[in-house]
Amino acid sequence: MPPRGRSPVDSLIVRHGPVYDHFAHRWCLKGELLDGASATTIFDLSPDLRTALIHPAAIPTYSIALIARDTDRLTDVCRRTGQSATFTNSGVTLTADHTPDGITMTSTAHHQQLALTYRHHTAAALFVITAELRDMFPAHHKAAS
């Protein structure tokens, strides 16, 4: 049961405020590896508010930096079933697929692959995180006003 006053989706998300020179904001969410084990993905907003850093399973090898436009696309994928997007940065490729079974984020680096799946409430929590991250970019604030 979620803590009093929190939705089941919100209770899955761990949020951290700013840590000087490391991140302006951080979100953590557990996904499911192919073998059924869980692994935490970390989503950081850079201190300069210009990039989002995604660390699948908290493994630096698979980390990728996304700009505001990329987070818009990732949020769209998380919002609607049947959407897919691929991002490439510094030799790492991240593909997000939203199927009826959930959202799978697959990271490829150095010919190795890591896939994390978010189902049901965790898929909804992934959408919440990407939307919050997107909304914290200064470019989004300008477009919204």
Side-chain angles (χ1 to χ4, degrees):
M1 187 167 180
R4 188 174 288 177
R6 292 182 74 187
S7 72
V9 169
D10 204 45
S11 66
L12 296 171
I13 302 169
V14 177
R15 293 175 175 88
H16 300 277
V19 171
Y20 181 74
D21 275 350
H22 293 288
F23 54 82
H25 199 84
R26 171 174 279 180
W27 299 259
C28 301
L29 179 66
K30 288 189 179 193
E32 185 178 309
L33 296 167
L34 292 176
D35 66 2
S38 64
T40 301
T41 295
I42 300 169
F43 302 82
D44 288 337
L45 177 61
S46 66
D48 64 4
L49 307 179
R50 296 177 69 171
T51 56
L53 303 166
I54 301 176
H55 312 285
I59 301 173
T61 303
Y62 299 106
S63 296
I64 189 166
L66 304 178
I67 59 173
R69 180 180 56 239
D70 296 334
T71 60
D72 286 341
R73 287 179 45 221
L74 183 56
T75 301
D76 287 343
V77 169
C78 293
R79 180 181 331 178
R80 282 179 260 148
T81 303
Q83 301 291 315
S84 179
T86 299
F87 311 94
T88 302
N89 183 303
S90 300
V92 177
T93 300
L94 174 71
T95 300
D97 290 308
H98 192 160
T99 67
D101 291 335
I103 302 167
T104 299
M105 291 176 46
T106 305
S107 298
T108 306
H110 311 291
H111 306 291
Q112 296 179 27
Q113 205 169 60
L114 175 73
L116 284 152
T117 300
Y118 305 88
R119 299 184 198 328
H120 311 294
H121 289 312
T122 57
L126 183 58
F127 168 68
V128 168
I129 289 171
T130 60
E132 287 179 8
L133 180 59
R134 177 204 59 209
D135 292 347
M136 290 184 125
F137 275 96
H140 183 76
H141 291 287
K142 288 179 193 170
S145 23

